[in-house]
Amino acid sequence: MQKYIFITGGVVSSIGKGIAAASIGALLETRGVKIRLTKMDPYINVDPGTMSPFQHGEVFVTDDGAETDLDLGHYQRFTKAPINRSNSFTTGQIYDTVITKERRGDFLGGTVQVIPHITDQIKQNILIASEGADVSIVEIGGTVGDIESLPFLEAIRQFANDIGKGNALFIHVTLVPFIKAASELKTKPTQHSVKELRSLGIQPNFLICRAENPMSSDIKEKIALFCNLSKDHVFESIDVDNVYRMPIIYNQQGLDSAIVKCLGLETAEPVLDPWLSIISSLEKPKHKIRIGLIGKYTEVKDSYRSVFEALIHGGIPLSCHVEIISIDAEKITLDSQESYLKDLQGIVIPGGFGDRGIEGKINTISYAREHKIPILGLCLGMQLMTIEFARNVLGLKDATSQEFDSHTLHPIIHLMENQHAVKYKGGSMRLGQYACHLAQNTLAHTVYGKDIVWERHRHRYEFNNDYRDQFEKHGLKVSGESPDGHLVEIVEWKDHPFFLGCQFHPELKSRPTEPHPLFEYFIKSALQWSLRGESNS
Ligand code: GLN
């Protein structure tokens, strides 16, 4: 019998529900359990693809081209669970499906209602998302008490009832705030949140309490008493610097053994070595480097979450701590660039949309090219590398992308052929995994050690092949292209320790246990570059 774990959140959002879900998945995998992870989001957007990163953080893209919640990134980084578009759905998507069925006549004669039609559709989606798993972990976005999440909570209540209570587990992640004036951790918000959940017919089996300080035995006892569960089902999640510590922190409290016991699962003992070695590499590094991330959405760390994580992963095999300095691209002018960039050992220009901060990023690329600082361009970053090259090496002063100036004389980056007809913005970019052929004797080929790789895309614009010969003649090599040779996927410049841009998002495939080769090589180049700097000084 397939088992289910439903994870809800209480008190406030952003308390690490996604990391908790991912860590539980990781721990079950260490016991040989096949898992899947799904996020249900209660907002009306069909997917987060149309939302600003300032609002919602990054958009995580799956191999099959779904634009999903960033929690799917945590799921991918922490586990090997297969992830596809079924693993992220929203209220908007559920209503879209139900309304399409209604228009088709599937419910002829009936009144279509939240219960049972919306809740049935949610249950149906959960079943599809869970295919092939021994244990399916389903996270409900938002906070208990929100109007929007009610149909999801009702659906999971029914779902647990349908499959029999012993086959489903409810875990509620809440906040236990520390009140300075009283110098005390306060349990009242958790009590209220659980009360709310119970009023909807859900009794949580476990609580995970996010707290600044460790919770005493008394506090756990009090929470257990008021929330109607046993004390050894109250777990804590203390603030940590390194999220990859979480599986071990939960294991030390016995969370995974309590889960398997509660679900009646027979599993092997957990094999924790890979997690322990990640922790030791991250927490006792032999080296340290500083990488600048020159972006537009720098105030919101989650906007570049996968890039941050992939950079950190890149340092793990080298025992290298990667300090990431976020720099607002708009601040980088010809006058200020030296002060912002001179102490960096590597630079990343991440993906993005719109023209804000573009000139600052182009200034950065020139600086890195001339000063031979390792630089990695991701999607928009690659596009800007080619624009910078066109302006400063080929002498095409007004070179730009049609995204910023649709009438430019030198559209180095232009709209993809199939994008001209796009009327509805949602889900209409080049999305998902595509093959990329790597040219022999290039940095890209050395990095991957393969002829063909598969990488994930999310963009509307591409390199304009009219300029390809001119670029190659002047040394900017196309080292990766689509199998038909029409789309430029990777560019690189050889007279440089690491000057490489890719049209895809390698950060979406990196794991701490398997760093993405591009990030690993980039960090290696940055480390070598920094050591060379030291021996020269
Ligand atoms: N805005 C660019 C495009 O649409 C780049 C997108 C990105 O960086 N993901 O092509």
Side-chain angles (χ1 to χ4, degrees), residues 337-497:
Q337 60 185 21
E338 180 81 14
S339 66
Y340 281 111
L341 307 175
K342 70 175 182 344
D343 294 327
L344 300 174
Q345 281 105 37
I347 291 172
V348 175
I349 311 285
F353 294 83
D355 61 3
R356 224 179 86 192
I358 289 302
E359 294 307 321
K361 290 179 189 171
I362 293 177
N363 291 339
T364 305
I365 295 166
S366 298
Y367 187 92
R369 196 168 52 74
E370 282 159 13
H371 291 79
K372 302 225 186 290
I373 303 175
I375 179 163
L376 174 62
L378 307 171
C379 204
L380 176 70
M382 179 209 100
Q383 298 176 351
L384 297 176
M385 279 168 136
T386 63
I387 293 170
E388 189 277 332
F389 201 81
R391 288 188 190 173
N392 299 328
V393 179
L394 305 182
L396 307 174
K397 289 291 167 221
D398 55 353
T400 188
S401 163
Q402 283 179 342
E403 183 177 4
F404 320 133
D405 176 3
S406 53
H407 303 296
T408 175
L409 283 180
H410 290 297
I412 303 298
I413 302 297
H414 67 174
L415 202 58
M416 270 185 271
E417 202 45 49
N418 60 1
Q419 289 291 324
H420 289 280
V422 166
K423 281 210 190 84
Y424 293 107
K425 292 258 188 263
S428 62
M429 285 187 251
R430 180 183 181 207
L431 288 168
Q433 174 165 266
Y434 287 85
C436 168
H437 282 216
L438 304 176
Q440 299 289 330
N441 305 317
T442 57
L443 174 62
H445 200 277
T446 307
V447 167
Y448 283 98
K450 288 184 189 164
D451 296 338
I452 301 176
V453 293
W454 291 81
E455 294 285 4
R456 293 184 201 162
H457 291 251
R458 180 172 186 252
H459 56 104
R460 286 186 204 286
Y461 296 84
E462 60 167 337
F463 182 78
N464 184 344
N465 284 321
D466 293 349
Y467 294 90
R468 197 156 154 173
D469 286 347
Q470 227 177 321
F471 269 79
E472 299 223 87
K473 223 177 278 158
H474 286 82
L476 196 77
K477 168 114 187 110
V478 174
S479 53
E481 59 183 16
S482 57
D484 63 7
H486 288 338
L487 300 172
V488 170
E489 309 284 42
I490 308 179
V491 297
E492 60 184 70
W493 194 38
K494 63 174 176 359
D495 299 326
H496 195 279

Side-chain angles (χ1 to χ4, degrees), residues 136-163:
S136 174
I137 302 168
V138 181
E139 178 189 348
I140 294 90
T143 308
V144 168
D146 299 344
I147 290 176
E148 290 92 337
S149 47
L150 287 175
F152 287 99
L153 296 171
E154 171 59 13
I156 60 171
R157 184 194 68 74
Q158 291 179 16
F159 195 102
N161 233 10
D162 296 347
I163 60 169

Side-chain angles (χ1 to χ4, degrees), residues 306-350:
S306 291
V307 180
F308 269 80
E309 299 301 330
L311 284 167
I312 289 165
H313 303 165
I316 293 175
L318 305 160
S319 190
C320 178
H321 172 72
V322 180
E323 186 190 353
I324 302 163
I325 321 268
S326 289
I327 304 172
D328 177 355
E330 281 191 304
K331 300 212 171 102
I332 304 190
T333 61
L334 290 177
D335 292 334
S336 70
Q337 60 185 21
E338 180 81 14
S339 66
Y340 281 111
L341 307 175
K342 70 175 182 344
D343 294 327
L344 300 174
Q345 281 105 37
I347 291 172
V348 175
I349 311 285

Side-chain angles (χ1 to χ4, degrees), residues 179-344:
I179 303 298
K180 269 205 196 111
S183 190
E184 244 186 306
L185 287 169
K186 290 292 186 187
T187 65
K188 194 69 84 188
T190 294
Q191 293 177 36
H192 279 291
S193 179
V194 172
K195 195 170 152 205
E196 180 81 34
L197 200 53
R198 293 178 66 203
S199 76
L200 300 170
I202 296 173
Q203 165 65 51
N205 302 87
F206 295 162
L207 290 182
I208 294 180
C209 303
R210 177 78 183 262
E212 250 176 80
N213 300 323
M215 297 191 322
S216 66
S217 178
D218 286 355
I219 298 249
K220 285 189 187 169
E221 214 157 279
K222 190 169 167 190
I223 291 175
L225 179 69
F226 280 98
C227 298
N228 193 33
L229 33 76
S230 74
K231 186 181 156 196
D232 56 2
H233 282 186
V234 179
F235 297 87
E236 64 185 19
S237 164
I238 308 296
D239 297 355
V240 285
D241 290 336
N242 166 14
V243 290
Y244 300 113
R245 215 168 221 291
M246 289 318 297
I248 297 295
I249 290 179
Y250 288 136
N251 169 268
Q252 282 165 347
Q253 295 178 60
L255 178 61
D256 51 321
S257 52
I259 288 175
V260 296
K261 190 164 158 219
C262 225
L263 288 174
L265 284 172
E266 297 278 331
T267 74
E269 283 302 303
V271 180
L272 299 167
D273 303 359
W275 290 101
L276 292 170
S277 71
I278 290 168
I279 293 174
S280 97
S281 163
L282 286 173
E283 295 178 3
K284 289 186 215 99
K286 294 198 187 77
H287 312 281
K288 186 180 163 191
I289 53 167
R290 228 169 306 113
I291 301 291
L293 182 85
I294 318 300
K296 166 179 172 183
Y297 317 105
T298 40
E299 308 97 275
V300 189
K301 191 178 167 195
D302 274 347
S303 304
Y304 299 116
R305 188 65 193 236
S306 291
V307 180
F308 269 80
E309 299 301 330
L311 284 167
I312 289 165
H313 303 165
I316 293 175
L318 305 160
S319 190
C320 178
H321 172 72
V322 180
E323 186 190 353
I324 302 163
I325 321 268
S326 289
I327 304 172
D328 177 355
E330 281 191 304
K331 300 212 171 102
I332 304 190
T333 61
L334 290 177
D335 292 334
S336 70
Q337 60 185 21
E338 180 81 14
S339 66
Y340 281 111
L341 307 175
K342 70 175 182 344
D343 294 327
L344 300 174

Side-chain angles (χ1 to χ4, degrees), residues 22-43:
S23 302
I24 291 168
L27 284 175
L28 290 175
E29 280 191 343
T30 67
R31 292 171 168 264
V33 177
K34 261 198 278 164
I35 59 136
R36 288 195 70 173
L37 280 145
T38 301
K39 176 82 187 281
M40 312 197 290
D41 271 304
Y43 49 73

